[in-house]
Amino acid sequence: MRIVTLTEESRQNLLDNLLKRSPQNYGEYEGRVAAIVENVRTRGDEAVFAYTKQFDGAEVTAENIRVTEEEIAQAYREVDGQLLAVIRKALVNIRAYHEKQKRYSWFDSRPDGTMLGQKISALARVGVYVPGGKAAYPSSVLMNIVPAKVAGVGEIIMTTPCNAEGKVNPTTLVAAKEAGADAVYKVGGAQAIAALAFGTASIPKVDKIVGPGNIYVALAKKAVYGFVNIDSIAGPSEILVLADESANPRYVAADLLSQAEHDEMASAILITTSRALAEKVSQEVEQFVAKLSRKEIIQKSLDNFGYILVADDLEAAIAAANEIASEHLEIMTENPFEVMTKIRNAGAIFIGPYSSEPLGDYFAGPNHVLPTNGTARFFSPLSVDDFIKKSSIVYYSREALEEIHEDIETFAKAEQLTAHANSIHVRFEEE
Ligand SMILES: NC(=O)c1ccc[n+]([C@@H]2O[C@H](COP(=O)([O-])OP(=O)(O)OC[C@H]3O[C@@H](n4cnc5c(N)ncnc54)[C@H](O)[C@@H]3O)[C@@H](O)[C@H]2O)c1
Ligand SMILES: N[C@H](CO)Cc1c[nH]c[nH+]1
Ligand SMILES: [Zn+2]
């Protein structure tokens, strides 16, 4: 990996380079995606079936687009029992963590009879997109469905691509059943997003779409935002390790590569105060890459967006980490909790040598659907909050309103909104 001294210039060059990964940069795909979305909106199933044939080579029809109970039963027969046990163990942790995020309605009453409050309602129907092109991600099924179930969403509609034979990855199906999806449809890409957003004869229209996917999925979610809500426009995976001389170079190297293997556009960055550690990590990376199954993807990712930055001190390293705002941040320093208190921008923060990023991908409980491309400055991990809505509750007694009715009328008249003023005045006009 390239080793660079952290300076104002090298940090800015890195930030500029990382921005090239943002789905917002893919203007040339926008037109293609817009056409797919519009076709599905106007032609419904007919367009969904045509695109599925064109991009996935599958003969999908109204009769077979929805996964049947028999297909799910067959999936259980194909999935290794040990993996099923692991999925069930992971679900226990993921559910337990997300239960802590539950929100409750509250109401506040005052002696004058006023009552104000906030009413929590779960979304009625949510669409969950699960990627299925290059690889299958049953863990993403769990991460997208569990917070929706904990929130109390009425109906969860999942879509995921099928192969040319019309078969969905069995582990994806088993994970969907275990997590509690109500229906699974065999469609992927932009056409799946459009079908969920507008509804077709076969696929129900949803209120919100969540879940990661490739550039077509990401841009389609952006295109339908407003007709439905979306969780985010997820970009390629990324990891940033903050380490000093106390860190184990093999652990650091292995963790960097765990995210580099996701995608040629993934980013793996080490920021360290120790040049000796930088050299050792680079050597360990080289040795690991030679042995790893996805070495081609990893090498492209490292060539494009892999960095080892050597900082003068920990403060400079932390400042750079806050600017990069990585999806995943690992802290492997002498006092990791002290460093954590200074981190403002990161999707998920892994503390210490045994909190390796894949622990979060699969098992610890926190959600692995995280903000990417620097959006951790303003976005948060997928959570129960993404699946609820809030309504404000207002109750005033006559006495309470009488007390302040002139103030409201004064305010309304100041905005020349006399009907607003009248709507208050009318209740006290006999005065
Ligand atoms: N952030 C996360 O939590 C997370 C988790 C898992 C995966 N991911 C990311 O999700 C992405 C998955 O991408 P993927 O491609 O494997 O699966 P995908 O399901 O996102 O996309 C596959 C679909 O793309 C459509 N498609 C393919 N070529 C097309 C074309 N030329 N024009 C229009 N549509 C086309 C097809 O209909 C196909 O079904 C990867 O980038 C991976 O890194 C992210
Ligand atoms: N780390 C990915 C998000 O960037 C999520 C994932 C799914 N499976 C393995 N990893
Ligand atoms: Zn991962």
Side-chain angles (χ1 to χ4, degrees):
M1 285 178 76
R2 75 190 108 182
I3 299 176
V4 177
T5 302
L6 178 61
T7 63
E8 191 57 35
E9 188 191 359
S10 64
R11 183 175 63 181
Q12 195 51 55
N13 290 341
L14 178 149
L15 290 168
D16 295 345
N17 189 33
L18 291 182
L19 269 183
K20 292 176 195 157
R21 305 162 59 244
S22 168
Q24 310 285 4
N25 286 342
Y26 288 79
E28 75 270 24
Y29 289 85
E30 303 256 12
R32 202 185 305 172
V33 167
I36 294 170
V37 169
E38 182 55 16
N39 268 327
V40 172
R41 188 182 72 79
T42 52
R43 294 166 47 214
D45 274 354
E46 182 199 340
V48 168
F49 302 155
Y51 284 126
T52 303
K53 176 69 179 163
Q54 178 182 353
F55 297 128
D56 302 314
E59 296 291 348
V60 163
T61 66
E63 287 65 46
N64 66 15
I65 190 168
R66 178 170 173 169
V67 170
T68 63
E69 284 307 315
E70 174 41 38
E71 286 174 304
I72 292 172
Q74 177 56 31
Y76 272 86
R77 289 190 285 271
E78 294 175 22
V79 167
D80 176 79
Q82 192 205 351
L83 176 57
L84 177 56
V86 166
I87 287 173
R88 287 174 173 165
K89 277 195 271 185
L91 269 173
V92 169
N93 295 346
I94 299 167
R95 283 195 187 104
Y97 181 85
H98 287 84
E99 283 290 342
K100 294 189 179 302
Q101 296 177 339
K102 278 190 93 163
R103 301 272 188 183
Y104 298 92
S105 303
W106 55 266
F107 300 93
D108 207 10
S109 58
R110 290 198 292 241
D112 65 359
T114 306
M115 190 179 79
L116 301 176
Q118 182 172 269
K119 183 176 184 299
I120 302 293
S121 310
L123 299 182
R125 183 184 293 141
V126 163
V128 174
Y129 184 84
V130 173
K134 294 182 193 136
Y137 298 93
S139 56
S140 293
V141 177
L142 309 186
M143 293 294 180
N144 280 284
I145 292 178
V146 166
K149 294 297 282 186
V150 169
V153 166
E155 204 180 0
I156 296 171
I157 307 296
M158 186 174 120
T159 65
T160 189
C162 60
N163 64 18
E165 290 69 48
K167 190 173 165 54
V168 171
N169 178 285
T171 316
T172 298
L173 282 188
V174 164
K177 185 72 177 172
E178 292 291 318
D182 295 288
V184 181
Y185 293 87
K186 304 171 191 171
V187 55
Q191 58 276 16
I193 301 303
L196 290 168
F198 300 113
T200 70
S202 298
I203 297 175
K205 173 179 167 31
V206 301
D207 302 312
K208 180 166 185 172
I209 301 171
V210 300
N214 63 17
I215 191 63
Y216 302 104
V217 168
L219 292 179
K221 284 168 71 176
K222 187 178 163 192
V224 300
Y225 176 63
F227 294 100
V228 292
N229 194 0
I230 62 172
D231 54 347
S232 69
I233 301 173
S237 299
E238 51 199 46
I239 185 169
L240 190 155
V241 180
L242 259 183
D244 61 15
E245 64 288 340
S246 69
N248 180 316
R250 280 179 72 76
Y251 295 1
V252 174
D255 292 359
L256 290 171
L257 300 179
S258 77
Q259 294 311 295
E261 78 168 338
H262 270 300
D263 202 306
E264 295 85 347
M265 301 287 276
S267 164
I269 298 170
L270 163 62
I271 305 181
T272 179
T273 51
S274 159
R275 183 161 291 272
L277 180 80
E279 303 286 355
K280 287 184 196 139
V281 167
S282 187
Q283 288 154 19
E284 293 292 352
V285 161
E286 218 168 296
Q287 288 168 27
F288 278 131
V289 172
K291 292 182 283 190
L292 288 167
S293 58
R294 290 162 73 105
K295 60 166 72 73
E296 289 74 26
I297 294 175
I298 291 173
Q299 198 53 59
K300 283 201 186 106
S301 161
L302 296 179
D303 294 345
N304 297 332
F305 303 108
Y307 290 85
I308 298 179
L309 296 171
V310 181
D312 291 340
D313 55 41
L314 209 44
E315 289 316 304
I318 292 168
N322 278 323
E323 276 214 79
I324 294 165
S326 184
E327 177 190 17
H328 305 99
L329 175 72
E330 289 189 354
I331 303 173
M332 287 196 231
T333 62
E334 283 296 349
N335 304 301
F337 283 92
E338 190 185 328
V339 172
M340 182 269 288
T341 62
K342 296 173 182 167
I343 297 298
R344 290 192 324 278
N345 305 322
I349 303 171
F350 298 83
I351 298 174
Y354 294 97
S355 308
S356 167
E357 194 282 336
L359 164 68
D361 278 343
Y362 296 107
F363 227 81
N367 211 291
H368 81 207
V369 181
L370 299 163
T372 57
N373 277 111
T375 59
R377 293 195 314 277
F378 45 81
F379 279 150
S380 302
L382 190 72
S383 75
V384 170
D385 284 348
D386 286 289
F387 299 97
I388 58 168
K389 292 181 297 106
K390 297 162 187 161
S391 305
S392 307
I393 305 294
V394 179
Y395 169 77
Y396 261 56
S397 62
R398 177 186 164 79
E399 294 69 29
L401 185 62
E402 188 165 22
E403 183 86 11
I404 56 162
H405 80 84
E406 287 168 349
D407 298 337
I408 302 171
E409 289 172 47
T410 302
F411 219 148
K413 287 171 189 161
E415 295 187 344
Q416 278 97 50
L417 296 175
T418 49
H420 282 61
N422 183 52
S423 140
I424 298 294
H425 181 74
V426 73
R427 287 164 171 77
F428 306 99
E429 57 195 354
E430 65 276 13
E431 311 289 296

